Amino acid sequence: MTDNSPGNSSVIEPRRHDVIVADGVSASPELVRLREQAVAAAAAATLLDQRRRAAIRRSQSLEAASIRLRTSARTTFARNRLVRSHQTPRTAQPEHGLAGFRLEGVVDGETVVASWSEGRLHCDPGLYDRALFLVDLGERLIYTNPPREFVATLDGPPIAVALTLLRSCDRITGFVAQLTPPDPNRVTPA
């Protein structure tokens, strides 16, 4: 039993402002408030840690998906580049003028070859990429005899394709043209 006499200090009598917390120990309302804040902060920290871990897992998942997509895109690009480097769609043969050609040149220090025959372009990848850049820029090509202007193309008239490829080379080492025979029934204006 507990002795409540004034000289006995083993039991603390709660004062008016104290709150009994546990095991008969009293604390001030401020300590109770601080304890509640600490418990709430610990709960918030646990929740934030769970969210952080979930965000890290999501980030790793997105990174893996990004790597898969990048690899797939590179594979598709390489496959398409390989296909287009060998040939382009067949186009109509001109009635007169340039029917075909063979071009040899240098692009970025490498020897490249391109040929046009039977309405189809066969071209090395380095030259094709450089020419495609001119096409994408909408480069205008001037032909002086007779005076004409062409837009850079790889699937248009053979003369425009030839001019595009010639302009794409750093240096031209050879060019052979195959011309269509003139039409004997064609009347030339005087």
Side-chain angles (χ1 to χ4, degrees):
M1 293 269 178
T2 309
D3 180 15
N4 288 342
S5 60
N8 190 355
S9 61
S10 62
V11 174
I12 300 174
E13 292 292 323
R15 289 176 285 191
R16 205 170 72 170
H17 300 354
D18 290 347
V19 175
I20 297 178
V21 178
D23 296 331
V25 178
S26 65
S28 69
E30 184 178 336
L31 288 176
V32 171
R33 185 180 52 80
L34 289 174
R35 180 181 164 94
E36 290 170 355
Q37 286 177 347
V39 169
T46 302
L47 179 65
L48 287 175
D49 187 53
Q50 290 171 350
R51 287 182 180 173
R52 181 186 64 83
R53 290 173 193 241
I56 289 172
R57 285 191 304 272
R58 179 71 176 145
S59 171
Q60 291 169 341
S61 171
L62 289 172
E63 183 179 9
S66 170
I67 290 169
R68 282 192 309 272
L69 287 172
R70 186 175 33 241
T71 302
S72 174
R74 285 181 179 165
T75 303
T76 302
F77 177 77
R79 185 182 314 117
N80 290 343
R81 183 176 178 185
L82 186 64
V83 168
R84 76 172 184 240
S85 70
H86 294 294
Q87 50 183 278
T88 59
R90 187 178 295 255
T91 58
Q93 284 290 89
E95 293 179 18
H96 63 282
L98 187 62
F101 61 86
R102 178 172 171 80
L103 164 73
E104 295 175 6
V106 177
V107 172
D108 295 330
E110 293 192 25
T111 303
V112 291
V113 176
S115 64
W116 176 280
S117 63
E118 298 178 3
R120 185 167 280 168
L121 174 65
H122 300 273
C123 187
D124 287 342
L127 178 57
Y128 188 88
D129 288 344
R130 176 80 65 90
L132 194 59
F133 181 70
L134 290 179
V135 171
D136 290 342
L137 287 176
E139 184 79 14
R140 298 191 124 5
L141 308 165
I142 308 298
Y143 185 73
T144 57
N145 188 10
R148 290 185 280 175
E149 183 176 314
F150 298 98
V151 175
T153 183
L154 292 174
D155 57 3
I159 186 69
V161 174
L163 290 172
T164 301
L165 293 170
L166 288 167
R167 175 82 53 94
S168 300
C169 288
D170 296 332
R171 188 169 33 122
I172 300 162
T173 57
F175 185 80
V176 177
Q178 176 188 359
L179 302 175
T180 58
D183 184 3
N185 298 328
R186 183 171 177 213
V187 178
T188 318

